[in-house]
């Protein structure tokens, strides 16, 4: 998403497209950007402050906190120091205006690369959380088998594995069938 006043909106959108972003959504004000944010999954947000209806810092912070997008905020030189100090802590890439086309393209490229890395880390994190949840369910099912059938932990483990193999289901699904079979 590119958010800027009408004067530079088309040029910024074209620059972002030239950096490898096929679909670029534009907004000519902070209010319009907030409305569009609700239904979109974004990879990059470029804000050219000040916006026609607001300075843009709060919108940059909102984008950084509520999306997984890389956020670049262009600010006039007189406001750069205070804005950078406030927004860089939450992950907003703050650039001082005037900024060259080449420097902005490099910033967009860096954000694109870092966003890919963040997405990969989030995928791995979700995978690990799923494994933890599976382990919790399997542990709970083993405890039920030990408690209800008087099995040892080893026997309960083998019972779950056997059930999973016999029914051709995952160990998680086998654990869920045991939990349903022996409700507490």
């Amino acid at each position: 998403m590119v958010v800027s006043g009408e004067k530079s909106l088309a040029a910024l959108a074209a620059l972002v497209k030239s950096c490898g972003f096929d679909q670029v959504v534009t907004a000519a004000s902070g209010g319009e950007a907030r409305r569009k944010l609700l239904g979109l999954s974004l990879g990059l947000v470029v804000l050219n402050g000040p916006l026609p209806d607001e300075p843009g810092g709060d919108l940059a912070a909102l984008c950084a906190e509520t999306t997984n997008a890389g956020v670049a905020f262009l600010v006039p030189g007189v406001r750069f120091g205070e804005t950078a100090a406030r927004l860089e802590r939450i992950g907003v890439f703050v650039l001082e205006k005037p900024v060259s086309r080449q420097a902005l393209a490099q910033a967009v490229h860096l954000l694109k690369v870092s966003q890919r890395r963040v997405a990969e880390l989030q995928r791995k994190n979700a995978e690990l959380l799923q494994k933890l949840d599976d382990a919790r369910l399997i542990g709970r099912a083993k405890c039920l088998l030990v408690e209800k059938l008087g099995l040892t932990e080893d026997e309960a483990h083998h019972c779950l594995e056997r059930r999973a193999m016999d029914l051709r289901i995952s160990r998680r699904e086998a654990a869920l069938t045991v939990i349903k079979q022996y409700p507490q």
Side-chain angles (χ1 to χ4, degrees):
M1 176 183 281
V2 175
V3 186
S4 180
E6 293 287 342
K7 185 177 177 183
S8 55
L9 188 60
L12 281 174
L15 176 80
V16 169
K17 276 188 177 183
S18 73
C19 291
F21 288 91
D22 299 331
Q23 297 176 345
V24 178
V25 176
T26 59
S29 68
E32 182 183 350
R34 280 183 171 79
R35 285 188 297 277
K36 288 183 176 182
L37 270 177
L38 296 175
L40 296 174
S41 175
L42 302 170
L44 174 73
V45 177
V46 177
L47 297 126
N48 184 19
L51 300 171
D53 57 346
E54 65 178 275
D58 291 341
L59 178 58
L62 176 72
C63 291
E65 292 168 349
T66 61
T67 71
N68 293 328
V71 181
F73 184 39
L74 309 172
V75 295
V78 295
R79 301 193 61 215
F80 176 75
E82 71 179 63
T83 303
R86 181 171 65 97
L87 294 177
E88 286 176 349
R89 284 183 283 130
I90 59 172
V92 176
F93 197 81
V94 181
L95 295 162
E96 184 176 4
K97 291 194 315 187
V99 62
S100 72
R101 184 174 175 82
Q102 182 182 8
L104 184 55
Q106 285 176 331
V108 168
H109 179 70
L110 288 172
L111 284 168
K112 183 178 176 182
V113 169
S114 65
Q115 198 274 338
R116 271 195 214 127
R117 178 141 168 86
V118 167
E120 178 62 19
L121 291 172
Q122 287 174 330
R123 186 194 61 75
K124 285 181 182 177
N125 188 40
E127 200 174 280
L128 291 172
L129 288 173
Q130 181 65 48
K131 285 181 181 181
L132 272 174
D133 191 46
D134 290 354
R136 253 193 312 273
L137 282 173
I138 291 167
R140 189 166 153 214
K142 282 186 202 178
C143 286
L144 284 171
L145 289 172
V146 168
E147 182 183 311
K148 301 290 183 181
L149 300 180
L151 302 176
T152 66
E153 185 189 347
D154 241 8
E155 291 170 333
H157 177 78
H158 291 297
C159 179
L160 276 177
E161 284 193 336
R162 196 172 337 110
R163 184 180 289 222
M165 283 191 305
D166 290 349
L167 298 174
R168 295 182 182 162
I169 58 176
S170 69
R171 290 189 316 154
R172 175 190 176 87
E173 291 170 301
L176 287 170
T177 63
V178 168
I179 292 168
K180 286 179 187 171
Q181 187 176 356
Y182 301 107
Q184 289 182 332

